[in-house]
């Protein structure tokens, strides 16, 4: 149940509602919106909403029938904006997180960081602990990789997002990253979600490869109910019968998550397609569909990448994509800060794309 207070409801009125809910055995969460204070009551109890509707200062009482409560759009109708240093995720600006699949060396992460920062990315991505299907594949550089990622990001004024695999890594991640990524495979690792719910750090929660919208939102609910409200949902493609693409990027998930929840939503067309030639079209589509941000894999030498080379953009492709995104954003009342695009790069990208199609 959610109780929306009148605009200008006073402290005594808010306290009265809160105390009544606690007395009835509810757990109470407050959300302070631009105009209204919203009080979320979590608990199995059923009460007559009129008992609350008649209290002074109460504007509306809404019963939430969905199993997720705190992530529900009702709880924060204006939408959540996550502020990290000077970056706002969920505001009018579309935030691009870009970088290699894995951090491989100081030189590699530096080169990619410099390029993506110059072309408008705000957040540097890179895995240091990699969830690989095969135990024989490159598993990541571990803490050394996180150090390289942080150093490169700081040098070019970027924030850092990286994937954490287990609870024991939380203190290490709090030291190096600005956003902790929970990978698709860990979306329903409920003990990990409980531990991450207890900390104060933004979480990028990827949708599981076979998770429904409701299951995804319930995973986010674990984080919010634990007390961590800074959650970004990421659509990264789901398993379908199709084999041409690695996963099927579910573009419809973007407007659905935005409607059902107040949390910011980003899309990952790199894992969503698994093919470099399909990343830019799907990134453009995701932006047009209302994504608050994009997660894009970029590598300075994709042919030599230790993971996900086939889906990593060449640097010039990233520059061209950012230019295209900056043209789409105003059509849907969004912004994407991007410096002017050079003709030389356009020619280079066309050449690379021709080669990529032939490959
Ligand atoms: C990644 O971002 O590199 C990754 C492994 O993503 P996912 O969990 O979506 O597969
Ligand atoms: Mn990857």
């Amino acid at each position: 149940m959610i109780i929306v207070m009148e605009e200008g409801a006073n402290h005594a009125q808010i306290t009265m509602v809160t105390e009544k809910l606690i007395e009835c055995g509810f757990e109470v969460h407050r959300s302070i919106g631009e105009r209204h204070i919203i009080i979320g009551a979590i608990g199995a109890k059923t009460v007559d909403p009129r008992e609350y509707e008649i209290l002074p200062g109460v504007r509306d009482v809404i019963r939430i029938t969905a199993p997720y409560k705190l992530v529900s759009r009702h709880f924060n109708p204006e939408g959540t904006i996550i502020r990290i240093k000077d970056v706002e995720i969920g505001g009018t600006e579309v935030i691009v997180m870009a970088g290699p699949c894995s951090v491989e060396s100081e030189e590699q992460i530096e080169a990619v960081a410099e390029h993506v920062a110059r072309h408008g990315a705000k957040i540097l991505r890179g895995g240091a602990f990699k969830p690989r299907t095969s135990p024989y594949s490159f598993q990541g550089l571990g803490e050394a990789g996180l150090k390289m990622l942080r150093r490169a990001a700081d040098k070019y004024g970027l924030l850092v997002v990286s994937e954490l695999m287990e609870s024991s890594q939380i203190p290490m991640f709090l030291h190096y990253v600005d956003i902790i990524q929970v990978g698709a495979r860990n979306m329903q690792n409920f003990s990990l979600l409980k531990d991450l719910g207890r900390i104060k750090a933004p979480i990028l929660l990827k949708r599981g490869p076979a998770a429904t919208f409701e299951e995804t939102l319930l995973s986010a609910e674990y984080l919010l109910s634990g007390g961590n409200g800074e959650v970004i949902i990421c659509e990264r493609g789901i398993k379908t019968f199709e084999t041409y693409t690695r996963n099927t990027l579910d573009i419809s998930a973007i407007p659905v998550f935005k409607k059902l929840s107040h949390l910011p939503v980003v899309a990952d067309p790199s894992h969503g397609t698994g093919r470099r030639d399909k990343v830019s079209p799907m990134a453009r589509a995701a932006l047009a569909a209302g994504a608050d941000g994009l997660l894009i894999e970029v590598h300075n030498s994709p042919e030599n990448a230790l993971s996900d080379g086939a889906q990593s953009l060449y640097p010039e492709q990233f520059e061209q994509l950012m230019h295209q995104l900056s043209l789409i954003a105003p059509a849907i009342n969004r912004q994407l800060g991007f410096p002017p695009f050079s003709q030389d790069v356009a020619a280079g990208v066309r050449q690379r794309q021709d080669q990529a199609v032939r490959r």
Side-chain angles (χ1 to χ4, degrees):
M1 185 170 65
I2 276 174
I3 298 175
V4 184
M5 300 301 291
E6 295 280 9
E7 209 172 326
N10 63 36
H11 182 70
Q13 293 168 334
I14 296 163
T15 309
M16 187 193 284
V17 174
T18 307
E19 282 177 357
K20 189 172 164 65
L21 287 168
I22 292 171
E23 260 170 44
C24 288
F26 286 102
E27 195 183 302
V28 174
H29 295 257
R30 273 190 211 169
S31 152
I32 302 170
E34 255 168 50
R35 296 220 302 265
H36 301 280
I37 298 229
I38 296 179
I39 302 172
I42 307 294
K45 296 247 158 49
T46 44
V47 291
D48 184 345
R50 284 173 301 182
E51 280 184 39
Y52 292 88
E53 278 162 6
I54 54 161
L55 294 181
V58 171
R59 179 174 178 233
D60 214 355
V61 177
I62 304 164
R63 271 221 180 106
I64 301 190
T65 47
Y68 46 84
K69 313 284 179 196
L70 301 175
V71 306
S72 159
R73 171 65 69 171
H74 293 294
F75 196 56
N76 184 1
E78 293 135 24
T80 289
I81 298 179
I82 297 175
R83 296 183 173 86
I84 315 166
K85 296 178 189 157
D86 59 344
V87 174
E88 286 191 351
I89 305 169
T92 54
E93 188 176 347
V94 177
I95 301 299
V96 174
M97 313 176 185
C101 178
S102 301
V103 181
E104 298 168 5
S105 68
E106 200 96 55
E107 298 69 43
Q108 173 238 21
I109 196 69
E110 274 258 339
V112 179
E114 189 277 329
H115 185 82
V116 300
R118 187 147 47 86
H119 298 294
K122 294 286 159 69
I123 302 175
L124 183 64
R125 66 143 287 143
F129 295 87
K130 296 302 301 174
R132 303 306 300 278
T133 304
S134 163
Y136 308 118
S137 303
F138 177 60
Q139 303 283 311
L141 296 180
E143 187 169 1
L146 289 181
K147 269 190 198 148
M148 291 175 195
L149 191 63
R150 183 77 259 172
R151 215 173 300 136
D154 287 346
K155 186 161 173 191
Y156 298 104
L158 297 164
L159 299 180
V160 164
V161 59
S162 193
E163 178 173 355
L164 163 146
M165 300 251 279
E166 53 179 77
S167 294
S168 64
Q169 294 165 343
I170 293 175
M172 187 201 304
F173 272 67
L174 289 175
H175 187 67
Y176 295 109
V177 313
D178 300 292
I179 303 174
I180 295 176
Q181 178 173 322
V182 175
R185 293 155 191 82
N186 258 329
M187 189 205 85
Q188 286 191 315
N189 180 339
F190 300 117
S191 64
L192 176 62
L193 296 177
K194 281 184 194 166
D195 290 337
L196 291 172
R198 281 190 276 269
I199 63 170
K200 269 231 86 33
I203 309 290
L204 180 86
L205 178 66
K206 288 198 158 192
R207 179 183 183 187
T212 62
F213 298 145
E214 190 171 289
E215 286 164 345
T216 309
L217 293 173
L218 280 168
S219 286
E221 186 84 8
Y222 266 91
L223 297 165
L224 270 74
S225 64
N228 188 350
E230 296 190 312
V231 178
I232 305 156
I233 296 185
C234 179
E235 164 57 38
R236 50 75 75 196
I238 49 173
K239 289 259 183 246
T240 67
F241 48 79
E242 185 52 69
T243 53
Y244 184 86
T245 41
R246 180 179 179 185
N247 292 295
T248 296
L249 187 71
D250 183 0
I251 296 281
S252 73
I254 300 163
V256 173
F257 284 139
K258 293 292 293 180
K259 180 182 159 79
L260 299 178
S261 175
H262 55 84
L263 296 173
V265 176
V266 307
D268 169 356
S270 305
H271 296 87
T273 62
R275 303 175 53 109
R276 162 183 324 122
D277 61 336
K278 299 292 171 272
V279 171
S280 294
M282 294 310 270
R284 299 193 298 258
L287 172 58
D292 296 302
L294 294 163
L295 190 73
I296 312 268
E297 287 188 340
V298 182
H299 199 288
N300 54 337
S301 176
E303 293 81 1
N304 299 309
L306 296 180
S307 60
D308 288 350
Q311 68 192 38
S312 300
L313 293 187
Y314 288 101
E316 309 88 73
Q317 284 180 307
F318 178 73
E319 180 178 353
Q320 189 187 46
L321 172 63
M322 291 299 280
H323 174 68
Q324 294 166 340
L325 297 175
S326 73
L327 298 177
I328 295 170
I332 49 162
N333 294 325
R334 305 296 292 258
Q335 294 159 357
L336 189 126
F338 178 74
F341 186 62
S342 75
Q343 287 311 308
D344 292 356
V345 169
V349 171
R350 271 196 299 276
Q351 207 180 353
R352 284 282 177 92
Q353 277 174 339
D354 290 347
Q355 286 166 2
V357 170
R358 268 183 256 122
R359 271 201 296 273

